[in-house]
Amino acid sequence: MHLYNAWLPPPVAEETKREKEAFTGIVKSVKDSYNPDDPESVYATLKYVSIIDLFVKAKSELSVEDVSAIVEIGLEVFQISKNKLHAQVRWGNILVKLLNKYRKKLFLKVQWRPLYDILIQTHFTRNTGPEGWRLRQRHFETITSLVRSCRRFFPPGSAFEIWSEFRSLMENPWHNASFEGAGFVRLFLPTNSENQDFYQQYYHPSNGGRWTYSLERFLFHLVNTFQKRLQLEQLRKDVSEKSELFLAQSDRVSFVKAVLKLIDRGQYSKNDHLSETVAATTSVLSYMEPYLVLPFLTSRFHMALETMTATHQLKSALTSIAFAGRSLLFTSSSELSVNSTSVSGPDSFADLLMISLSNALLGMDANDPPKTLATMQLMGSLFSSMSTLDDNVNEASLIPSFCFSEWLDEFLCRLFSLLQHLEPSSVLQCCCRGEGINSPASSGTFLVEDGPYYFCMLEILLARLSDSLYKQALKKISKFVTSNILPGAIAEVGLLCCACVHSNPQEAVLQLIKPILESALSSLESTPTTGFGSRATSNASSSSKEKSTLSPALETAIGYQLKVLSVAISYAGPALLRYREQFKEVILSAFDSTSWKVNGAGDHLLRSLLGSLVHYYPIDQYKCVLRHSSAASLEEWIDTKDFSLDKPGITPTWHVPNEEEINFANELLKLHFEFALDDLLTICQSKIHSDPGDEKDHLKVTLLRVDSSLQGVLSCLPDFRPSSNNEMVKEPGCAPFLIAGATGSCVGTSELRQKAADIIHETCKYLLREKSDDSILFLLLIRIMDALGNYGSSEYEEWSNHRQAWKLESTAIVEPPINFIVSSHSKGKKRPRWALIDKAYMHNTWRSSQSSYHLFRLSGNVIPPDHVILLMDDLINLSLHAYETVRGLAAKCILKMIKRWPSTISNFVITLAENLRNPNSPENAVLGSCAILSSQTVLKRLTTDTKALSSFLLGILFSSHHESLKAQKAITELFVKYNIYFAGVSRSIFQAPGKQADGTAFADLVAEISSMSFGSTNLHWRYNLMANRVLLLLAMASRNDPSVPTKVLSEIAGHFLKNLKSQLPQTRILAISALNTLLKESPYKLSAENCFNGNGDLQGETKSSLEGALSTIFQEEGFFSETLNSLSNVHIISDADAASSRGHYGSSSLQSFADKSITRFYFDFSASWPRTPSWISLFGSDTFYSNFARIFKRLIQECGMPVLLALKNAIEEFVDAKERSKQCVAAEAFAGVLHSDVFGVSEAWDSWMKVQLQNIVLAPSVESIPEWAASIRYAVTGKGKSGTRAPLLRSKVIDCLMQPLPQTVNTSVVAKRYTFLSAVLIEVSPPRMPELEIQVHYKLLEELLSNMSHSSAQVRESIGVTLSVICSNLRICQSFGNDHLHEGGASSTTDVRVEGFWGQYLVKRASELVTNIQNISASEEIATEKISQNGTSADHSQDDVKWMETLFHFVISSLKSGRSSVLLDVIVELLYPVISLQETSNKDLSNLAKAAFELLKWRVYGEPCLQKAVSAILSLAKDPNWRTRSATLTFLRSFMYRHTFILSNINMQQVWQTVEKLLTDNQVREHAAAVLAGLMKGGDEDLVEDFRQRAYGQANDVLKKRKQRNKVSAMSVASIHGCILALAACVLSVPYDMPSWLPEHVTLLARFVSEQSPLKSTVTKAIAEFRRTHADTWNVQKDLFTEEQLEVLADTSSSSSYFA
């Protein structure tokens, strides 16, 4: 049994034994409701999913056989639920929970392929279903989670099958299929289940974000993984299993030392997540190696205490001590037990504990909430580990010489001061709801609002105090509470009293509760009364003649006292019985008061008193009952995975009400519930008040009494008895049982709840009739209805919003499973007993909310009780109220009710939909109706309820008559939400041959909606769009149903085809999405076998069911011309749109929010295109929409050549159009035609399409090049999942583009041709290129290499891009062994077919031209005029520059595209020209070199390319041109950072030596120093240490020689400056830190401040930067300097310094 169930209240724990049998019954019911031959029976099983989930959350003891049976049924249901995404999501989620929880107990065989098929069919096909994106998103998350949970159950051999399935997808690295293949392998391939969770964390999508978040996650998972490994090893050691791979202590030490370096950096981060994770990981490490971690923690804590300029550090330091508090106590205790005298041991740690507790008192500051809360957390953490707090100083004392009594006095003084200075964070009370219905803890200060630390700390402290210290504390607290009125700290003072009462009820009630109670009674005695608090209704009318009021001071005092009492008595229980008469009197007096605030305070007191009397709650929660076996002064914490109930006192003691308490509670109910209900009925039926104000006041107080009673007893008042269609359900004793749960003992009767429902119904009618504008009365009424109708709802909300519980996952109260301090290892994390009792308490609260919630769903003939229906009808009326606050609260309540009783939804939908349809409905009725209809509860119901669906859809579509903007916005948002969550429709809507119950057959419904979507003259475009959208949803949902006439679907498809030329832009766009979805049969498409020859006949007379209807439409004269013209209007071309991303279809920024929200989500149903990376900038920002092209392709595939013939003239007309928008749509249509692969398309190519493509290439216009490039790219896109099957016309398109251009064409046409060719070659699949395509590559490669010096910059760029595509394609092809052409010999001009020739040619040619270009640049600087006059020389040199520009375009394109991975051996040898030509006289060339430089410097090079890169860099660093040397240093910064872990020691040394030599370089020495400082931050420790010592020694030698003038003068300025720069690099390499060597180095550097410039400038800059980075911690760090050193540093800050 789980710990939380074992620790439930005894009456509830006993009942849990019946849960195993109940679950067996549920399994049987699921089997009975599911019929494998009827896919629709899936819906009948859904009601059991939440019930199965109930048992999982309840942690019930279930039979493994039952769990196995339900998992097998669930998997079968999941697989058979084709196109039922909602059902798959529900079953998938519960299967994941069951498989994860019982993974080690189940023995299943789960096949992987059905899961893969579902994933592919639902998410990776172009003809996806109609379901909304939110549902699809949830489905994707569910199916992937289910696969991960099922992996361990895949049968043997699955891994081989999975790898074989996906291996081919990863052949082409530049196709999206490679990413999909890698993702599928990672998802499906079974892995080592013990390690998979570790790996997944590193690659989880949520790990994106800023660098601090990445660091924080890395640190967390690094330590967590190491801890889990240690835990596994320790558990294996316990069963005598040893391994050579087990970690030794030396390994632990090395790991902890390495991680401490990271922790040292992040401990005081201003990023809260990072600093808290650092504290948490420090805590875990402290259990591994305490003598490494705790001294570090101690030193940092002292530093934080002394730091003045960074106050946030103290909060982080306190948190770190709180998290490591238990390990500190363990270490102190273990060292004391062996009487150690280690300096770093007990004394320092004990002192740290004492200092922490002392400084904690100083940390309680009302003006510094974060520090105060950290202080509370620290005290709570320490006291949770200590078994007792007293002043007995003995050998076992954890903190020797620490006087707790003095500390306690000081603590209480500071606590009282804190409470007196608190201010609520919000002084605004909830005026609309009234003071009387606020929660007791509503003062709103940070102590309550910002976390549970305050209350938990008090509970732990007061429970652990010895008897004498408790009495000492109680005396002071009693004096403070009774002598102060603190309206701004009601909750805080109340919780202080509550903690006292919880620790010792009898004593605290006597000293705390009694004085406050007596004070409140005496204050109320002399106050004016109304008589509303008792049954004196007959005298009530007379009390209003002269109403007296309380003074504000007295009102505040009474309210304060009653509210503090209400919080204080929460756990008092039977100790309150001796004061029962006083409580009755004070509550009656409070309700009788003329002050509404006092009435509200009485409400708090009554509900708290009832709860204290009848509820179950633990009463010894915070006391220590288990002492640690290794340290008696510490409490033993508990592991929920391995616990024993046999230990004495471990099980919590619960408050179980005795008979006297129940009698008292029933008496209170009679007074304030039953009598109050009678009063309500009297007020509503008899006019007992002549004054409306008095009547309102009487109603308020009476409703408040009823509400208070219900909120006090919660579900202890029995629920209604549900009704059956035939007869009443059996008595509760025979009622079905699911799980055990109870808030407390039963009080009152079910009849009392029924009576309340009847009277509240009458009250509602009266208020709607007489006081419809009084919101406070309605809000009180709705709260009562909620408590009456939603049984258990209050407990569920309390469980959801458990505000006074500690953060149970906080590291401060978690002991990790591995503990090397006392050699205590466990199966799971250990927590203090009080925290686990709190969990059990909340578990019981949740159980009580669920115990009867699902009971009556199990029987189909059970309907809601009549009283519930009454309440629901009233709430529906109130949800349409004129006041928004009333509507909102009523809607919230009614939605909870209909979720429990889904059979009522249909009638409510019909009622509310009529409000939308009715032209006379007021705005508030529309808003209220939309609020309920937009709930997921209602939207899910529409999936299976045909009648409700029709009403819902027609209600929305016929609501355009509402003129209110708010109403229209609400209707629009309702429709958008319906689309987002759309889950299909019930098959029953299609199967009925006749009329439906509401008189609407499916065909008639379609016809009615179709008629709306035409006549656009009178209908707003938004409603036209909604009608079309509904039509599409119905068509998509019905297309696979055999009972739907094909005529209906063909008419819908024809309707959308006509809409392509609609005047409404959004309707056109929706028509495109619709046709892309509906046109799917493709009977005229060539099969894969016939694609290569283009021949073949139609098999039989197969025709599309849509062809007839579509043919009559597109064969109308001028149809396609009109359509293309209409679609061209979507392509709004402007400068702004050209720069924006594609896919918005020219949507105007002037649309309203509502308009955008309704158009935004329709248009992205298809798989993304292109499926290869797009990076080529010369393509430009195209407005080519693949969805448009797909329409024409599918239309041709659906209806054959007649479409092509009808489309021909329109395409020819638009290709020649001057407007770019018409060229765009022509490009889309032409792309669809070329990619269609239908019978007869080859003949059409020969007859007109080839000529058309030639004309497009030769056309002089350049504006539409991006669209035509995209069109050609679409036309040649590979078919199939991985794009390996070439479309029919690809080879013909390539042949056409390879034709030589006429000599007379301009350069833009030449560039266009290369652009088109590169677009084609991007779509080729290199691993499987046929011989023809390989020949084309070599032929084009030869052409490109001969044209690299082309005169046009545009052509050169396109050549460089195309060259990168060709070369990378050939490399991939060769790697798969498919390129055999180079074996057949070389051509007559070049040897491009020889393997590796082109690479060698590029590298060799580039090396030759670099020298020429550099020489020309140098010459131009000397004699520009001479060069300009020598035409031949200039022309020749310009050719070299142009060739080099093309080469740089090749490099840039290769790196941007990701294709450089196969070209790296060539690119690395081009480092020399790229770095050398950063600064030349030709700015265009230099700019390209800089662009390539920026991409190259971040590239990671593996062997053998890395060696080539290092050689090139070392050579460039010695280049005679200083600009090249400077660029090399810049390159080195990034290069060394990227290769720190893979560079060999030899290479490292070579780089260091090279950079060191540059310290004396006349031009780049300062740059070299900056690079060296960077290298020292993360470089090899030995190299860094060696350089630092040499730098110090050389600088020191220079300083000594200053007295010998002749020797100093013999040294050059560069040499001396180099020494100073080396020293400055050392100083600047450790910002913020103060290692032991730094004081000497920085002082030595400061001694050079008297040197002449530029030496002096270097010194002052370095010292100024040192001062800036060490300012925060200077008060501590300056102690590491001697007086002499500080004086030397002070001399550098004189006024003569630039940085003074």
Side-chain angles (χ1 to χ4, degrees), residues 1033-1045:
L1033 290 177
L1034 293 175
M1036 292 168 74
S1038 65
R1039 63 186 177 190
N1040 295 321
D1041 194 280
S1043 60
V1044 176

Side-chain angles (χ1 to χ4, degrees), residues 1531-1548:
F1531 187 86
L1532 260 177
R1533 278 185 164 179
S1534 305
F1535 178 83
M1536 293 298 287
Y1537 168 74
R1538 297 289 279 170
H1539 299 85
T1540 296
F1541 300 108
I1542 57 177
L1543 271 177
S1544 66
N1545 288 334
I1546 295 175
N1547 288 338
M1548 281 275 197

Side-chain angles (χ1 to χ4, degrees), residues 23-325:
F23 187 74
T24 303
I26 295 299
V27 175
K28 183 178 183 302
S29 299
V30 174
K31 289 179 179 178
D32 294 342
S33 63
Y34 169 60
N35 180 7
D37 299 326
D38 179 16
E40 294 301 302
S41 67
V42 167
Y43 289 114
T45 66
L46 291 184
K47 66 181 179 182
Y48 297 104
V49 172
S50 55
I51 297 173
I52 297 168
D53 189 39
L54 194 67
F55 286 94
V56 175
K57 289 180 178 176
K59 307 182 188 300
S60 303
E61 284 287 308
L62 307 178
S63 164
V64 177
E65 291 77 13
D66 288 338
V67 174
S68 181
I70 207 70
V71 167
E72 289 176 355
I73 296 171
L75 287 169
E76 187 178 350
V77 170
F78 187 88
Q79 293 172 15
I80 204 175
S81 302
K82 186 179 178 182
N83 299 323
K84 299 180 178 67
L85 266 61
H86 173 61
Q88 287 184 328
V89 167
R90 295 292 308 283
W91 270 108
N93 284 330
I94 193 62
L95 284 171
V96 168
K97 290 183 179 181
L98 289 170
L99 288 169
N100 290 345
K101 182 173 182 179
Y102 293 92
R103 62 185 181 276
K104 296 180 181 178
K105 299 179 181 178
L106 294 174
F107 298 95
L108 301 170
K109 289 286 180 66
V110 181
Q111 298 297 324
W112 68 272
R113 189 167 290 280
L115 297 173
Y116 171 64
D117 292 339
I118 291 171
L119 183 61
I120 289 294
Q121 179 186 355
T122 311
H123 299 285
F124 290 91
T125 58
R126 292 181 177 176
N127 286 311
T128 51
E131 292 82 6
W133 68 263
R134 183 67 60 83
L135 179 59
R136 303 188 70 79
Q137 181 185 44
R138 289 185 59 203
H139 186 275
F140 183 78
E141 293 168 356
T142 301
I143 182 72
T144 51
S145 298
L146 183 59
V147 170
R148 282 192 286 268
S149 300
C150 289
R151 283 190 302 212
R152 67 185 297 128
F153 302 107
F154 288 168
S158 296
F160 178 76
E161 293 177 10
I162 291 166
W163 177 248
S164 303
E165 177 76 21
F166 301 124
R167 182 181 179 183
S168 61
L169 293 179
M170 295 183 280
E171 290 179 350
N172 184 358
W174 305 310
H175 193 277
N176 286 5
S178 63
F179 297 107
E180 291 177 8
F184 284 133
V185 167
R186 177 175 173 269
L187 177 63
F188 281 90
L189 199 63
T191 59
N192 184 337
S193 61
E194 294 177 351
N195 294 330
Q196 63 189 20
D197 291 339
F198 303 163
Y199 301 144
Q200 289 172 1
Q201 299 293 352
Y202 292 108
Y203 303 99
H204 196 277
S206 66
N207 281 352
R210 300 188 64 84
W211 66 270
T212 48
Y213 180 72
S214 301
L215 285 178
E216 180 257 325
R217 289 288 86 192
F218 170 72
L219 180 62
F220 171 80
H221 292 299
L222 178 67
V223 175
N224 191 43
T225 303
F226 189 76
Q227 173 195 306
K228 287 186 177 181
R229 177 174 175 178
L230 285 176
Q231 178 191 2
L232 190 63
E233 290 179 1
Q234 296 306 316
L235 292 177
R236 285 179 176 175
K237 281 182 180 178
D238 292 342
V239 292
S240 302
E241 179 183 344
K242 295 184 178 180
S243 169
E244 294 179 358
L245 297 177
F246 281 8
L247 295 169
Q249 184 180 10
S250 58
D251 300 319
R252 292 204 313 268
V253 169
S254 299
F255 177 82
V256 171
K257 283 182 177 178
V259 177
L260 278 177
K261 294 179 181 178
L262 305 178
I263 287 174
D264 188 34
R265 291 280 188 268
Q267 185 177 16
Y268 296 135
S269 169
K270 293 183 180 178
N271 180 288
D272 289 340
H273 292 294
L274 181 56
S275 63
E276 186 162 334
T277 298
V278 165
T281 52
T282 308
S283 171
V284 175
L285 295 177
S286 69
Y287 286 92
M288 299 179 191
E289 290 298 327
Y291 292 110
L292 283 176
V293 179
L294 296 180
F296 159 79
L297 205 58
T298 303
S299 64
R300 299 308 294 263
F301 182 68
H302 286 297
M303 186 184 296
L305 289 178
E306 297 177 17
T307 299
M308 297 293 111
T309 57
T311 54
H312 71 281
Q313 291 188 7
L314 185 57
K315 182 234 177 190
S316 298
L318 288 169
T319 303
S320 296
I321 299 296
F323 285 9

